[in-house]
Amino acid sequence: MSFFEDIAAGLDREGIESRVHDDTMFVPITSDVEIHFEEIDPHLPAANVYIAAADVDADDDEFEAVLVSVVFSVEDAVATVAQHMATDQVITVLRDLLEGTDERIGDVEFYQDPLDPHLVRAEVGENAELQVQVEEVDGSPCATVTFVALPDSYDDLLDDAIGELWDSDGDAELTEEDREHLFATLHAEAAADAETLDLGVFYDFDRLFDVLSLAADHAEDWEAQLLPFDEDDFDEPDVYDIFGADHGDEDDLEDDVEDEEDDED
């Protein structure tokens, strides 16, 4: 079997379609993007891997396939395709969150964190937010969801910081990007003192949107119940010595035993 036939068999076992035309293997990732394998050595074997727009005539002057890697085995080829498919799913979910394309989150407005492009946030409840981290883990796309009840002082802290940053002038004037990064840093510091609920890690993105919809509906209730926990407010539980040492010394214990024996006699 040729290298392309081996790759096609490996992809087929993973449920991934492919086709070969002339010296190129085409693997669709989405309706707009596909991977091209071009064999460069049939004996090693080896193949260049390109990312290209789908359904574009190769003779088109504007057509351009971008070289992204080189593979030397069927395992490498299958892993490369899986990685690009996972990356595309991550991008798709992030876009759906930011654009609110799913009606289940139509009333929730997510925005992208300026420090971490894979993290999106949305204000919910009175003073809380939903955080969704979308990333690839071990080749599979997933989303980690956290509910954060921000401290009461959060708004005042941000108002003070915004006033200082936006009023800066002269040589110390900050760019919009600098201000966004500083704002995100201040937000992270304030959120460090917040109360949180871990809502889980989701590989099923349809279920993810169900969870986000439910979280938005219950935000005020969760926020009211997430009270700060102070260990000093709770006394240490009493721990009793199962051998009776807490009730007296050993001599007292022996006297009690002797008294009991006398009573029995």
Side-chain angles (χ1 to χ4, degrees):
M1 295 178 67
S2 69
F3 191 28
F4 278 174
E5 290 174 327
D6 290 338
I7 293 176
L11 293 172
D12 187 61
R13 287 192 292 271
E14 300 296 325
I16 302 173
E17 297 181 357
S18 64
R19 71 183 190 279
V20 176
H21 179 68
D22 293 335
D23 298 326
T24 303
M25 169 177 278
F26 301 85
V27 182
I29 301 300
T30 68
S31 59
D32 300 318
V33 178
E34 62 188 12
I35 289 178
H36 296 175
F37 290 98
E38 293 187 2
E39 192 173 57
I40 56 176
D41 190 320
H43 305 293
L44 185 56
N48 287 341
V49 183
Y50 299 86
I51 294 293
D55 298 327
V56 176
D57 189 345
D59 296 329
D60 191 334
D61 293 337
E62 296 183 358
F63 172 77
E64 183 178 3
V66 179
L67 178 66
V68 292
S69 62
V70 181
V71 296
F72 302 96
S73 69
V74 172
E75 292 76 13
D76 288 344
V78 173
T80 297
V81 171
Q83 180 183 3
H84 284 287
M85 293 181 73
T87 300
D88 180 77
Q89 284 183 283
V90 167
I91 294 172
T92 299
V93 172
L94 286 170
R95 183 185 300 116
D96 289 342
L97 290 170
L98 293 171
E99 296 179 358
T101 56
D102 193 296
E103 62 181 7
R104 287 169 288 185
I105 59 167
D107 296 331
V108 183
E109 185 176 350
F110 283 95
Y111 62 93
Q112 196 167 33
D113 186 277
L115 300 180
D116 184 354
H118 290 273
L119 175 64
V120 297
R121 308 172 184 271
E123 296 179 357
V124 292
E126 293 295 327
N127 197 31
E129 68 177 23
L130 281 172
Q131 298 181 0
V132 185
Q133 181 84 34
V134 188
E135 57 192 346
E136 177 191 338
V137 177
D138 296 330
S140 299
C142 66
T144 302
V145 184
T146 307
F147 176 83
V148 181
L150 298 167
D152 293 336
S153 60
Y154 175 71
D155 287 338
D156 293 336
L157 175 65
L158 288 188
D159 288 342
D160 293 342
I162 290 172
E164 293 180 7
L165 294 176
W166 262 249
D167 289 342
S168 61
D169 53 16
D171 295 336
E173 185 172 356
L174 301 174
T175 65
E176 188 69 22
E177 183 178 358
D178 291 335
R179 288 169 174 162
E180 288 182 356
H181 279 71
L182 285 172
F183 178 84
T185 301
L186 290 170
H187 176 90
E189 292 176 356
D193 297 327
E195 301 299 319
T196 63
L197 283 177
D198 294 326
L199 301 184
V201 179
F202 301 91
Y203 291 84
D204 181 344
F205 292 133
D206 184 61
R207 184 171 179 80
L208 167 68
F209 286 100
D210 284 336
V211 168
L212 293 177
S213 176
L214 181 142
D217 291 340
H218 287 75
E220 292 187 9
D221 181 43
W222 291 347
E223 188 178 1
Q225 296 185 63
L226 278 177
L227 301 176
F229 177 80
D230 189 346
E231 294 182 356
D232 294 336
D233 293 338
F234 295 87
D235 295 330
E236 287 288 335
D238 292 329
V239 179
Y240 296 99
D241 188 340
I242 62 174
F243 298 105
D246 289 338
H247 300 286
D249 56 26
E250 293 182 1
D251 292 338
D252 292 337
L253 181 60
E254 291 176 0
D255 292 340
D256 292 339
V257 173
E258 291 176 356
D259 291 340
E260 291 178 3
E261 291 176 351
D262 292 339
D263 292 339
E264 291 177 358
D265 293 338

